[in-house]
Structure formats: C-alpha cells, structure tokens
Amino acid sequence: MRALSRAFPDDHPGGRDLRRGVRRGARAVAALAAAGLLTAGVTVASPAPASAEPGAVVISQVYGGGGNSGAPYTNDYVELFNRGTATISLDGWSLQYTSATGTGQFGSQKQDLSGSLAPGQYHLVQLAAGSTPSGTLPSADTVGTLSLSATAGKVALVRSATGLACNGGSSPCTPEQTAQIADLVGYGTANYFEGTAAAPGLSNSTAAVRAGGGCADTDDNAADFAAGTPAPRNTATPPAPCGAASPSPSASPSVSPSASPSASPTPSTDPCDVPANRQIAEVQGSGAASPLAGQTVRVEGVVTGDFQATNQLSGFYFQDPTPDADPATSDGLFAFARASFKDVKAGDRVLVTGRVTEFNGLTELSPVTAVDVCGTGTITPKTYDLPRADGATFEPYENVLVTFPEPLTVTDHYNLGRYGEVTVSAGGRLFQPTDRPGVNPALDARRSLLVDDGSSTENPATIPYTTPQVVRLGDTAVGMTGVLTYGFGEYLLEPTKQVTFLRTNPRLPAPLPVGGNVRVASLNTLNWFTTLGSRGADTAEEQQRQLKKTVATLKGLNADVVGLMEVENNGQTAVNALVDALNAEVGAGTYAALTHPYPGTDAIHVAAIYKPAKLTPVGQTRSSTDPVFRRPPLIQTFRRAGGGQPFTLLVNHFKSKGCDEEATGGDTDQGDGQSCYNAERVRQAKAVLGLIDSMDLPNPLVIGDLNAYGEEDPIHTLETGGLTSLSKRFVPAAQRYSYLFDGLSGELDHAMAGKQLVKRVTGATIWHVNADEPRILDYNLEYNPPSLYRPDAFRSSDHDPLLIGLNLPGGKG
C-alpha cells in the first residue's frame, strides 16, 4: 500500500513497527468470524478463519468428478446455501479453488458471483466439464470454468472479487486475506481446512455433502461433510430454512400408553437458574495465561463494555461484581459474541457459557454458546495511576474497567487514521532517548498507554478524536475510562465513555519571533516532486494540494533564505515550480532559486531559495564531490543587500536511519539507539567540517535534516568541531523537537553556527506545524477524509521547519 511505503523511504529514520496493524488484522479476522463470515480451525501456520454463525452463506456441496468415467454429471459444481434468517447478497463475492497440497494460489482459479440468497435457498455454480458426457446439471445460477479435482482440493467462498494470493499451505494466508474467506472446504488430502480434519476424499461418483441439508455447522469439515451421491440444488429448489419452527402442539397433547394419566409435561428451566460453575478470577488465574484454557465454563458478571457491532470487536466485556481476594487475578473477561447471538448493554448482569481461549495473549470466552441476561448490576471503575510501578504489568487488570484520573498527554497519533489509535502518557509526551539527557525508556514505557477506538475497521470512515478539532500531540485528556485489554504484546484501553482531548498544545499561526535583520529557515518538504507517481504526489490533484500546503509554510516562515530538503532531483524543474507558486502568492520576483552545481544521483537533493532584495550571493554556489555524501550539500555565502558581514549557508541532508541490506560493519545497528548508518552520518559530519576549513567558509551556518537526534554522535562531532546548536541554545527543551517516530519526539533537523556567527544569532525557533499534526491532514487523497484537508501549513510535511534570526552589520533594508 502506498501510504505505508511512503511512511519510511530512504530519507526517513526507519520502518514503522507494524505490530499494531497485525493485531488489528487478526482481530478483524476474529470479528468477521463472529459475524459468521469466516470458517474455523484451520490446521496451518497462517491465521485460521473462525466459525460461521447462523446467517452466513456456506458451501453445501462440492463435486469435482464431472465428465470423468462413471460420473453422474458432465460438469463439476459447487452448491451454496444460506443457513441464516436474512437474505444475503453475493454481489462482489467469488468462488476460488486451488489444489490440495500444491503451490498454486486461490486466486489462480476464480469465479465471480452475483445475485442474492434468501434464507434456506440454494445457489448452484456449474463449473468445468470433463471429456465424458453424462448427466446434465439442473439449471445453474452461475456458470463458470473452474476445474476441480475429483478426489482432493480446497474451495474457498470469498467475500471479494479479488483473487487471494495465498493457498493456506505453502503460501499461508495473512489475517487480511483470511478475513475475506466466508467459508472454506478442504477435502481429501487438503492441507487447509476447517476444524480438525478435511472433508472425506471424493471420487467420480461422490460429492462432499454438508449434513442437515446444508444447516450443519460444527466448525469442522470432517464432521460437517460426508461423501455422498451428488444431488445438486439451485435457487428453484424449494427453500429449506434452518431451524424452521415445528408444528404447534395440540391443546391436549397425547400421552403414551405407558405414561401415567396424571403425568404433566416437564416444565422448562429458566436459563438464569443455571448457576455459574466458575468465578471469572478462576478463569483468569494469576498468570499470563488461563489455567482453564480449552475448558467450557459458565461465569457471571456485569457488562462493562459493549462492542458487539459488526465494525467493532464483535463481543463484550463483563466483570465480576464480587471479586476474589487475590490482587493478582483479573476479574474481567471478554465474550466473543455478536449482538446477533445475544444483544447486551452495559449494566446487564449476564451468565455466559463458553470455551476459555487465549487469543494472542488475551483471555476470553470463544466460542460462546450461551449468553443469558439475568438482571442488572453496577461496576465501579478501578482507579489506576500511571506510571506503573517498576516490574508491574496490567495483567491483573486485563478486561477490567479502569479510570485514569491524571492528565494523559497524546504522544503518538501515527495510526489515528489507520486504526483509530492514539498513545497517551502521564507526565507529558515521550522523547527519543538519544535526543536529550535524562530520558528513561523503561519509565516511559510504564507511563504510556495505547488507546483504541473499539473498532475492527481499518481506515474507518469516521476517525475518532477529530471533532470539534483534530487532536494534536501534546493535547491532554483527564479521567479517561475504559476496559483494559491485550493483543500482540501490548495492553490497550477500549474507552467506554467519550474521550475529550483538551487543546493544551495550541497551534501557532506563525513562528515565534526570532529577531535580527536576516531570517534563515530550514524545511524538509517531504518529497516535493513534479514527476507524478514517484516519491511525491500520485496525481495532479494531490500535487496541487501538496504545493498549496508547502507554499503556506514558506509564507508563514517569511525567511530571507530557506534551505530545502527532499526536493526532486530533476534539475531546476521542481525547485523553480515551488518558487513560481510562492511568488504568485507573495509577489513576482520575491524569491529566486539557487542552482545546485553538483546535486548528486539520488532521487532527491537539497536546494535553497532566497530573497534577492534582502540577500546577495557572494561567489559561486558550491558543493562537494566527496562520495561520502549521497546527497551532496549546497554551499552559498551571502551578504545583506548593499554589503556587510557575510555568512555561509551549508544545506545538508544526511543518510537516513533506515536499515537495509547495504548496511554493513559499523553502519549496522549497534544497539545504542542511533540505528543504522550512524557511522556514515559521522563521516558526513566530519566531511562538512572539512569543507568549512578547506574552503575557508566565513561564518558557517550548517542547516538541514541531519537524521541524527540531539545527543547522537553526528551532532557531537559537529559540536566538537566548533559549531553550536542554535536550537539547544534558544529553544526550550519541551519545544525542542521536529519529528515524531514510533511515539517518540525528537529533533532531526538542526541549525548549527560557527563561533563568530553565534554572536550574531538573535533567536531560533521550531515552528510545530507538522510533527504535532496527524498524517490524516496531509495532501494524500487515500483514506484521508476530504473534510479535513486545508490549504494551510499544518501537516505540509512530517518534519517541522526551523527559523533562525541573525543580526548582521552593514547592508541595507
């Protein structure tokens, strides 16, 4: 997906940890399972589809011997059946087939479907014909050309017309792929099937026939199917709804001769009279996994979180109002049961019967076989203060309703639009350990918390925390309340009451004042490309959206010279397009672009634009051919218009932190927090110092995206070489950051001045228009809600721009 590949190209610090996406994908699989849209118990390494609930369309017959010797029919066929109580559309669905154990994928043989199925109705899909004509199938509802094996194979009913690039065996299906499978039948020697074993092997004269006329569904191909005489049915066959009501009994039921005349029918038992046989604490146990895993239990509790909707988690949380005395045991559980099974709401007292399961580390009941609402109850949220104590985990609070009374600060929103998630932390945002002294990663982990939106939907149409204003890093919420849950290695909170973030980190419409008579800025443009479909915008509309936001940023900076990074390396085309758009806003001729004498061979290069009325270039624009620079620097000396003291701008973009196969030796990740290519960045820093000395550059000012945080070796190298970090000197520590990665803020973009020039610096600031803003506000059209886009500076890039004020003597203006 382009949005992910764009998130960490070569010029960015490194790849995102995708565990959250994996976790969401697996829960989406499970949610679709509970919705009756997936199959169950596949004995392969890939995530298994889960059991179909009444209401799903299933495969009711499979026949692959058509046209073979002794076959009753000329054509293969697959029969579908609606086991549920509602009409289901097959539009956009497909039937997909692959061999029992081969390497072919489901998508290699695919038949699209259409139409709809009423409850109890059959749908006949006629497939390939063999070479020996025999009987003719009933009128087919769909005609296709798939060729099935007569003895063994794998047939998938897929809720998509896109072919699955997996086979469940040699090519395991990902959670996202598995989530598309509505039903699966593996027969014969198939290595991918529902339940404990495949359906029986077939022959030219037998079909796999689902029991109960198609109604049987025990989540096991071997149990649900038998090899029987092919008997294809179509939509013209009289419907046979599952669970149809029996005839009403007569007013005076007959009695068998052996029964006592005075005997009366046995009264039915109220399910609420069937007591729990375990406490929730017993199910949870005092360890990470349940001591009762695999057992069926009946437990009682009060519903604390209702997430049964189709686009949510397909279940609910409930908690024991009379917990045990052991503080190590949790008193909450998750029941994997949709509202169509039994609709519940918060406050219901329920008795739940189900199998104890560990779902990716979360103790839950799945499948659930009974939910009985037996009154109401109240659960008071347990108060929890972050940070957690050293060595403590959330395990005793798994599935428990909790409230966090202290202000919690948003410290990550990377997956806000993708998964509806933010990360919050007590005591303010989290910083990169290598960006500043005093950061304690272990403590930061204990004071942070992932907050979910209770949805199983990726790229939701309605994104949380965007009204009345879109949440920013640094915003805070007080009294956050919800159920603590767990998945794929991390705890998270599913809020049960609305979370309101206070704008405690307000936007600044313009940078803070820096003083002086010359303003210098540094801006990483996040791939300003005029060539569409490469590393920048994909379409002309996206390009214009990007251009407007970049121009708005440059207007807001109002700098006399700007060093630019991530500009397309296509001569002057991209940089001139930016200058033209900027001048159209601020006045013809206001800005001009320097020409890079040696831009290098990378797809991007550094550039600079300046105001000719304010600054005059002194000498030629220079660079370096040293191969240590993948993106050679741009070097230009300036004076104020009319003369005066010169200064030299060195625009840089050092090698990224991203690890790849080219990283060898000292350039591999050394485990010190500086990631890959740190040694190369040190060599680049030394080369910059060498240029300053060898070219005798007056009053150097080194700016740019150095891909190194404030206390890393490349920055120390420049400082040791006589340069001073202007952000460290002028920007308060709490505001000294320009980039967000993996929930940690830090400064990758720097301005470092020579000893004499430092005396002329009047101020420096970082304009936080990008790092604090979620990526749903950027120029991309995919997934970003159209209503959120604004042609302003906010989220014009992923790096914040820097602005420096200089007070240079001489000149004019």
Side-chain angles (χ1 to χ4, degrees):
M1 179 180 305
R2 192 194 67 168
L4 287 179
S5 63
R6 178 182 290 166
F8 43 91
D10 174 68
D11 51 284
H12 281 70
R16 281 285 180 187
D17 180 353
L18 298 181
R19 288 178 302 156
R20 295 181 188 171
V22 173
R23 177 181 60 78
R24 178 60 62 94
R27 177 51 79 190
V29 171
L32 288 169
L37 299 174
L38 305 182
T39 55
V42 180
T43 57
V44 291
S46 61
S51 60
E53 182 183 328
V57 174
V58 296
I59 297 170
S60 50
Q61 286 191 44
V62 175
Y63 175 64
N68 294 341
S69 176
Y73 294 103
T74 301
N75 293 80
D76 298 344
Y77 71 84
V78 170
E79 179 191 276
L80 308 178
F81 178 65
N82 183 356
R83 310 172 58 248
T85 59
T87 298
I88 297 178
S89 173
L90 298 179
D91 292 345
W93 291 33
S94 62
L95 201 65
Q96 301 186 24
Y97 172 79
T98 189
S99 63
T101 60
T103 59
Q105 299 178 335
F106 279 116
S108 62
Q109 289 204 63
K110 179 176 72 72
Q111 173 59 49
D112 292 345
L113 302 172
S114 62
S116 60
L117 276 183
Q121 194 171 38
Y122 299 93
H123 183 106
L124 182 61
V125 184
Q126 176 180 300
L127 300 174
S131 58
T132 305
S134 53
T136 302
L137 291 172
S139 179
D141 302 299
T142 296
V143 177
T145 58
L146 303 186
S147 180
L148 310 186
S149 167
T151 57
K154 295 175 292 198
V155 182
L157 177 62
V158 181
R159 299 172 57 253
S160 169
T162 302
L164 297 178
C166 65
N167 59 32
S170 60
S171 178
C173 297
T174 66
E176 291 79 7
Q177 292 167 329
T178 311
Q180 298 299 315
I181 301 177
D183 196 19
L184 171 71
V185 177
Y187 60 100
T189 58
N191 58 10
Y192 191 46
F193 46 80
E194 179 182 342
T196 60
L202 305 179
S203 67
N204 294 343
S205 60
T206 58
V209 181
R210 185 182 288 271
C215 293
D217 189 15
T218 65
D219 306 335
D220 194 315
N221 283 169
D224 292 337
F225 286 88
T229 301
R233 293 160 288 195
N234 58 15
T235 52
T237 303
C242 302
S246 302
S248 301
S250 62
S252 301
S254 59
V255 189
S256 67
S258 61
S260 168
S262 61
S264 58
T266 302
S268 61
T269 301
D270 186 338
C272 291
D273 291 337
V274 180
N277 60 18
R278 295 283 189 175
Q279 264 196 300
I280 290 178
E282 292 180 82
V283 175
Q284 282 283 1
S286 58
S290 171
L292 303 181
Q295 299 184 31
T296 297
V297 299
R298 184 169 175 82
V299 289
E300 181 176 359
V302 175
V303 176
T304 54
D306 176 13
F307 296 92
Q308 291 183 298
T310 301
N311 64 340
Q312 293 185 323
L313 303 177
S314 294
F316 60 90
Y317 296 92
F318 64 115
Q319 190 171 328
D320 193 337
T322 58
D324 69 351
D326 186 352
T329 58
S330 167
D331 298 301
L333 269 180
F334 180 71
F336 200 26
R338 284 188 66 210
S340 59
F341 183 88
K342 181 69 174 184
D343 193 15
V344 303
K345 62 182 181 299
D348 283 346
R349 184 174 69 88
V350 293
L351 283 155
V352 184
T353 304
R355 185 175 62 202
V356 181
T357 302
E358 290 293 326
F359 177 76
N360 296 308
L362 177 70
T363 303
E364 63 179 39
L365 297 185
S366 175
V368 170
T369 55
V371 176
D372 302 307
V373 178
C374 304
T376 60
T378 302
I379 296 292
T380 301
K382 294 187 177 182
T383 299
Y384 201 107
D385 291 305
L386 292 174
R388 302 190 312 273
D390 190 8
T393 73
F394 283 127
E395 179 68 26
Y397 294 85
E398 181 181 279
N399 299 320
V400 169
L401 185 67
V402 296
T403 186
F404 296 87
E406 73 268 52
L408 297 178
T409 300
V410 178
T411 191
D412 192 15
H413 46 36
Y414 184 80
N415 281 321
L416 174 61
R418 185 88 162 107
Y419 303 120
E421 295 176 347
V422 296
T423 300
V424 297
S425 57
R429 74 172 70 207
L430 308 181
F431 288 96
Q432 293 285 350
T434 56
D435 189 66
R436 60 201 57 217
V439 174
N440 184 333
L443 174 60
D444 286 352
R446 300 199 309 273
R447 64 186 180 99
S448 62
L449 175 70
L450 178 64
V451 181
D452 195 30
D453 63 348
S455 170
S456 58
T457 302
E458 295 185 9
N459 306 302
T462 301
I463 300 174
Y465 318 130
T466 56
T467 56
Q469 54 196 3
V470 179
V471 70
R472 300 183 85 223
L473 293 192
D475 288 349
T476 57
V478 180
M480 194 176 290
T481 301
V483 178
L484 273 174
T485 186
Y486 182 88
F488 287 89
E490 61 185 326
Y491 286 93
L492 60 149
L493 186 76
E494 301 289 4
T496 55
K497 71 175 188 178
Q498 184 174 348
V499 177
T500 300
F501 286 103
L502 304 176
R503 183 47 59 86
T504 47
N505 180 27
R507 285 177 165 181
L508 294 180
L512 293 174
V514 294
N517 52 26
V518 172
R519 293 161 65 93
V520 181
S522 173
L523 172 64
N524 183 315
T525 68
L526 182 55
N527 294 309
W528 165 242
F529 273 53
T530 52
T531 303
L532 297 177
S534 46
R535 282 177 55 166
D538 281 345
T539 66
E541 183 180 0
E542 279 192 342
Q543 188 181 70
Q544 286 303 305
R545 285 159 60 107
Q546 181 186 19
L547 184 60
K548 289 177 181 178
K549 295 188 81 70
T550 304
V551 167
T553 304
L554 292 170
K555 284 178 62 179
L557 290 168
N558 190 27
D560 300 316
V561 60
V562 185
L564 302 171
M565 293 102 248
E566 293 193 27
V567 176
E568 183 179 9
N569 190 0
N570 60 351
Q572 291 296 101
T573 302
V575 67
N576 282 345
L578 187 57
V579 168
D580 290 344
L582 178 58
N583 284 343
E585 291 285 328
V586 299
T590 301
Y591 282 94
L594 295 176
T595 300
H596 200 308
Y598 183 68
T601 60
D602 197 79
I604 55 177
H605 74 315
V606 298
I609 63 175
Y610 71 102
K611 292 181 178 180
K614 294 294 294 291
L615 295 176
T616 300
V618 178
Q620 297 297 314
T621 306
R622 291 183 281 180
S623 185
S624 171
T625 59
D626 189 334
V628 72
F629 296 112
R630 303 195 184 209
R631 296 177 281 259
L634 184 151
I635 305 169
Q636 181 66 61
T637 300
F638 289 98
R639 282 192 174 93
R640 292 178 62 204
Q645 181 178 339
F647 74 99
T648 303
L649 190 70
L650 295 91
V651 185
N652 293 270
H653 191 179
F654 285 2
K655 180 69 178 79
S656 76
K657 293 177 176 290
C659 297
D660 55 32
E661 64 278 359
E662 294 182 12
T664 59
D667 282 325
T668 59
D669 193 333
Q670 303 297 301
D672 57 3
Q674 301 186 82
S675 196
C676 288
Y677 294 105
N678 182 59
E680 180 171 320
R681 290 189 292 276
V682 169
R683 294 193 295 272
Q684 291 173 333
K686 290 179 178 179
V688 167
L689 294 173
L691 292 173
I692 294 172
D693 288 340
S694 63
M695 294 182 176
D696 193 22
L697 301 177
N699 296 313
L701 178 59
V702 174
I703 65 171
D705 176 3
L706 304 187
N707 271 311
Y709 292 111
E711 299 301 327
E712 292 187 356
D713 296 338
I715 307 304
H716 290 164
T717 298
L718 294 171
E719 290 173 328
T720 302
L723 301 181
T724 297
S725 167
L726 301 181
S727 56
K728 287 182 183 179
R729 172 167 291 200
F730 290 96
V731 180
Q735 295 297 315
R736 191 178 60 76
Y737 60 88
S738 66
Y739 192 78
L740 173 72
F741 183 75
D742 210 16
L744 305 176
S745 296
E747 187 182 10
L748 292 179
D749 306 85
H750 300 269
M752 308 189 72
K755 293 179 180 179
Q756 297 303 315
L757 188 64
V758 170
K759 302 174 184 178
R760 296 294 179 181
V761 177
T762 55
T765 190
I766 303 173
W767 191 21
H768 297 305
V769 291
N770 295 323
D772 286 343
E773 304 286 340
R775 54 184 177 146
I776 55 174
L777 301 181
D778 69 17
Y779 69 84
N780 285 288
L781 291 170
E782 308 101 319
Y783 310 123
N784 292 354
S787 62
L788 296 181
Y789 175 79
R790 300 288 185 275
D792 57 23
F794 297 96
R795 199 62 189 188
S796 57
S797 175
D798 52 352
H799 291 247
D800 287 329
L802 278 70
L803 183 65
I804 302 98
L806 301 176
N807 189 17
L808 298 180
K812 63 180 181 179

